[in-house]
Amino acid sequence: MLASAFGLGCLFAPAVLSQQAPAPPVPAPVTTPAKAKKRHVSRHDRVRAQEAFMRGAKDLQRDLARSAMDEFRRAAQLDPDDPRYSASISIARQRLVHDLVQQADKARLLGNSDEAHADFQEAYRLAPEDPLVAQHIDEFAAAASPASNGPRHRSALAPPVELHPQSGQRSFHVRINERALIAQVFGAWGIHPTIDQSIGAQVIPYDVDDVDFAQAEATLALATETFFVPLDPERVLVAKDTRENRLRYEREGTETFYLTGLSNEDQTAMANLARQDFAAKTAFANPGQSALTVRAPVPDLAALNSTLQSLLQGRSEIELDVVMYEVDRTKATSIGAILPTQTNLFNVYSEANSILQQNASLVQQIISSGLAQPGQWEQILAILFASGQVSNSLFSNFATFGGGLTLTGLSMNPATANLQLNSSDVHSVDQIQLRVLDREKGSIKVGERYPIMVSEYGGMGGSSLNIPGLSSSGLSSALQNLGINASSLASLATQALPQIQYQDLGLSLDVTPHLLGSRGLSLKFDLKLTALAGSSVNQVPVLSQREYQAISSLNIGESAVLLTALNRQQSVAVTGIPGLDDLPGFADATDANSNFNYSELAIVITPHIVRLAHQKTAEQMYLVPRGR
């Protein structure tokens, strides 16, 4: 928001003519040579009168009305019979009266009340019946009224004076001098101009069709190289556009701009902009109130106001819809067969005889109980194995071949076949909305702050000199009665003080949008993944960090996708006979155990424009007068 308060920098109260309003002065009678009594005019006087008349005509052409009137009077005195001289005196007197009234207005505008009073009094003495004098006499009489004897304020806060021209459009096709052109153009809309003496009588062409007052005012200023200062809604002062005239006549205004939300540096930059680019005489920044007070000519204030409004629109605002997908997958398989890897060959009678001899007492018990006869060694072995008193891996799983004393046993480990699959999938979704300014960095952090001890401070070693209260703790009897002793204080003095630093672990994403127009933008990504590496140096854990940076260009409404692998582990173990799975037809004769763990992260970012500032490539151009 931009708020402003206008005030005129130079406002003047009407000049006071006197403490009491005097009666209008009686004009001095203008005497002309009597026609009743004619006198003889010599040829020499006629020539001198003609020369005075020519000098007066040249002075009148150079806008020297007072000198021209004196020359015309001298010509009339030398040759009273010529009627041209009397008529020329009236013309010069009217021109002088008009000049005196305009000088009185300018003097009153500049605050020179005495000069304004003297000029108007002279104009009234010369031509009291002149309409221009009659139009201003009420203003000067009001300024000299008795009510003005009290305290007077020479200036007051007020908005800038604005002209109130008549409505409608006009056309002009003339070729006349500058003063007459100014009077004709302003008079067409009912505005009475006060023309400064700096404007000459150069003849210039002026051709415009169907223009309103604002257009006519602008074209007239360019054609005549002048500027205008409104005196009241129906009168205007016109002067040549020079630096001296602007410093003398141009009114200034004071405006306060409220720069809410800007830093002190930005407010100072705004004040420098007003002083350097708009030539403001005074530009004061008040950071405490976030305000900028500027004093400058009113047209420059209008241009500065529009410029600051454009600057204070700020940057465009963008909303980023961020969706994070994390996929954790674990897969463990065990497929194949495990064949025996060890085989034992043994003589069945030798192994059985060894078992019977080792368990002779048990064999006698079985025979005495009648469970088996002495020669039935197969039954005796079966009873021993079944009772659990005897165990032998060779007879747990075996096969025999041969016969008689060469009966041979074959024992092998059991074979297994595996067909197992363990799989787990975990999906997590996190949705975040982030609103940032154009070219402003937005940050997203997901994780934890891990404490890391970077240093440790402990007590210094003891001294050989023990001075209570200096090198060791000295205790009073009151502290000893409270249970505080020197040993406890010494332990506190030597206690280690750790220095902790917190480290961000997890995901850190910085996104910086940059608008490329009304429909496109670019996104700058800075992705960091930080985790503990599992090792440490001097008890300080080692961190593993991965970083990814990129710039992506896309249209409004499109999405940018970031994919990264957080973790990926794979292991395969083969159990079986080496080289057997390489033989044709024995691919499944070994057991393969595989473990596959991985985690992936997908980030989808979709930008939306919340507020679009500075849609145009350039703001409106403001013309600053060259007389600045």
Side-chain angles (χ1 to χ4, degrees):
M1 298 293 294
L2 183 65
S4 60
F6 282 99
L8 289 179
C10 297
L11 293 177
F12 303 96
V16 179
L17 296 178
S18 62
Q19 296 297 328
Q20 296 182 353
V26 178
V30 179
T31 60
T32 58
K35 295 182 179 180
K37 184 178 180 181
K38 295 185 179 181
R39 66 179 179 85
H40 177 70
V41 180
S42 64
R43 183 175 182 180
H44 178 69
D45 290 341
R46 291 182 184 276
V47 173
R48 290 176 57 193
Q50 185 68 23
E51 292 176 353
F53 177 77
M54 294 301 296
R55 290 194 300 269
K58 292 180 180 180
D59 291 340
L60 192 63
Q61 188 176 4
R62 293 195 298 265
D63 291 333
L64 301 177
R66 188 183 300 276
S67 177
M69 189 173 64
D70 294 340
E71 295 292 342
F72 292 152
R73 283 180 177 176
R74 187 176 295 107
Q77 292 175 358
L78 293 174
D79 188 4
D81 296 335
D82 195 332
R84 296 180 302 168
Y85 303 153
S86 299
S88 298
I89 293 174
S90 300
I91 294 174
R93 182 189 302 111
Q94 184 179 9
R95 178 73 66 83
L96 178 59
V97 168
H98 287 191
D99 291 344
L100 289 173
V101 172
Q102 291 184 0
Q103 292 176 12
D105 282 339
K106 290 189 290 184
R108 188 177 61 174
L109 176 64
L110 298 175
N112 301 327
S113 58
D114 295 338
E115 182 181 350
H117 171 69
D119 291 339
F120 186 77
Q121 286 283 56
E122 185 178 0
Y124 186 82
R125 184 176 62 255
L126 292 175
E129 74 284 352
D130 190 278
L132 185 60
V133 175
Q135 178 182 354
H136 290 74
I137 192 171
D138 294 336
E139 300 177 2
F140 282 91
S145 63
S148 63
N149 295 335
R152 294 179 288 109
H153 299 281
R154 297 186 59 84
S155 62
L157 292 177
V161 179
E162 296 182 358
L163 295 176
H164 293 168
Q166 299 174 1
S167 60
Q169 295 180 340
R170 310 286 192 273
S171 298
F172 301 91
H173 299 281
V174 296
R175 183 181 178 83
I176 54 178
N177 65 72
E178 295 176 335
R179 302 178 69 93
L181 176 61
I182 293 171
Q184 181 177 350
V185 173
F186 278 102
W189 278 275
I191 302 298
H192 304 287
T194 298
I195 303 176
D196 186 68
Q197 294 181 354
S198 59
I199 300 176
Q202 180 182 359
V203 178
I204 59 174
Y206 185 70
D207 296 291
V208 292
D209 290 314
D210 300 329
V211 294
D212 56 17
F213 179 76
Q215 295 171 339
E217 189 179 27
T219 55
L220 182 63
L222 294 175
T224 59
E225 297 183 357
T226 56
F227 71 100
F228 316 120
V229 179
L231 303 177
D232 57 37
E234 295 181 354
R235 291 187 303 152
V236 63
L237 172 65
V238 184
K240 275 293 182 181
D241 192 358
T242 62
R243 183 177 182 83
E244 292 76 12
N245 285 341
R246 285 190 174 273
L247 293 176
R248 184 179 181 186
Y249 297 124
E250 193 171 36
R251 290 181 172 178
E252 295 181 346
T254 300
E255 186 170 2
T256 301
F257 304 90
Y258 294 100
L259 311 176
T260 306
L262 295 186
S263 62
N264 295 342
E265 293 77 8
D266 293 338
Q267 295 183 31
T268 303
M270 293 292 184
N272 294 334
L273 172 68
R275 284 190 292 265
Q276 297 174 6
D277 295 348
F278 292 88
K281 293 183 177 179
T282 303
F284 174 72
N286 189 350
Q289 298 181 357
S290 297
L292 173 65
T293 302
V294 180
R295 177 180 176 182
V298 175
D300 293 352
L301 283 179
L304 177 61
N305 200 321
S306 300
T307 301
L308 291 183
Q309 282 182 348
S310 175
L311 294 177
L312 292 178
Q313 287 181 2
R315 289 172 286 177
S316 300
E317 193 171 358
I318 303 170
E319 181 178 335
L320 301 176
D321 290 338
V322 182
V323 182
M324 297 184 180
Y325 301 91
E326 183 178 354
V327 179
D328 299 326
R329 177 171 296 178
T330 301
K331 184 178 181 181
T333 60
S334 178
I335 302 175
I338 301 178
L339 299 178
T341 59
Q342 183 177 1
T343 302
N344 296 321
L345 291 175
F346 59 94
N347 185 271
V348 175
Y349 293 107
S350 298
E351 194 65 28
N353 188 30
S354 176
I355 295 174
L356 293 177
Q357 292 179 0
Q358 294 175 1
N359 300 280
S361 60
L362 294 176
V363 173
Q364 292 297 329
Q365 293 178 7
I366 293 173
I367 295 174
S368 61
S369 61
L371 295 176
Q373 297 299 321
Q376 298 176 345
W377 61 272
E378 296 90 346
Q379 295 180 1
I380 296 174
L381 287 177
I383 294 173
L384 289 175
F385 289 146
S387 64
Q389 298 297 322
V390 178
S391 62
N392 193 320
S393 60
L394 295 178
F395 291 96
S396 61
N397 186 12
F398 70 100
T400 60
F401 61 91
L405 295 177
T406 61
L407 181 63
T408 303
L410 178 63
S411 175
M412 63 182 68
N413 294 329
T416 59
N418 296 323
L419 188 60
Q420 297 178 356
L421 171 63
N422 294 322
S423 178
S424 63
D425 294 334
V426 179
H427 303 269
S428 62
V429 179
D430 192 2
Q431 187 171 2
I432 302 172
Q433 288 185 342
L434 191 64
R435 182 171 294 187
V436 296
L437 295 177
D438 183 24
R439 299 186 299 277
E440 190 77 15
K441 181 175 66 175
S443 300
I444 300 175
K445 293 185 178 181
V446 180
E448 61 179 348
R449 293 179 60 84
Y450 186 79
I452 299 176
M453 186 175 66
V454 295
S455 62
E456 185 178 9
Y457 296 93
M460 301 297 294
S463 175
S464 59
L465 181 61
N466 186 4
I467 302 176
L470 182 61
S471 61
S472 63
S473 302
L475 297 177
S476 64
S477 58
L479 294 177
Q480 292 178 353
N481 294 333
L482 294 176
I484 301 176
N485 51 45
S487 61
S488 61
L489 293 178
S491 62
L492 292 175
T494 59
Q495 185 175 1
L497 299 177
Q499 185 75 19
I500 302 298
Q501 177 181 349
Y502 286 88
Q503 176 66 39
D504 292 332
L505 299 181
L507 180 143
S508 177
L509 175 62
D510 295 335
V511 183
T512 304
H514 186 188
L515 281 175
L516 304 177
S518 59
R519 302 184 61 181
L521 82 165
S522 65
L523 296 178
K524 179 181 179 182
F525 301 103
D526 188 357
L527 177 64
K528 294 181 181 179
L529 298 173
T530 307
L532 297 175
S535 59
S536 61
V537 177
N538 294 330
Q539 298 182 354
V540 178
V542 178
L543 302 178
S544 64
Q545 187 175 31
R546 287 179 290 172
E547 185 173 354
Y548 170 77
Q549 294 181 349
I551 297 178
S552 176
S553 298
L554 63 159
N555 294 326
I556 300 299
E558 295 181 349
S559 299
V561 181
L562 297 178
L563 292 175
T564 181
L566 300 178
N567 183 27
R568 182 179 294 269
Q569 295 179 352
Q570 185 176 6
S571 62
V572 177
V574 178
T575 303
I577 300 174
L580 185 60
D581 58 343
D582 295 332
L583 299 177
F586 291 90
D588 296 331
T590 56
D591 183 67
N593 295 317
S594 63
N595 293 303
F596 183 61
N597 300 324
Y598 75 92
S599 299
E600 291 183 345
L601 178 65
I603 303 176
V604 181
I605 302 176
T606 306
H608 303 282
I609 294 181
V610 178
R611 183 177 63 87
L612 185 61
H614 305 292
Q615 302 183 21
K616 298 179 292 184
T617 57
E619 291 294 335
Q620 182 179 357
M621 179 183 294
Y622 297 95
L623 296 178
V624 179
R626 66 177 184 179
R628 291 285 187 268

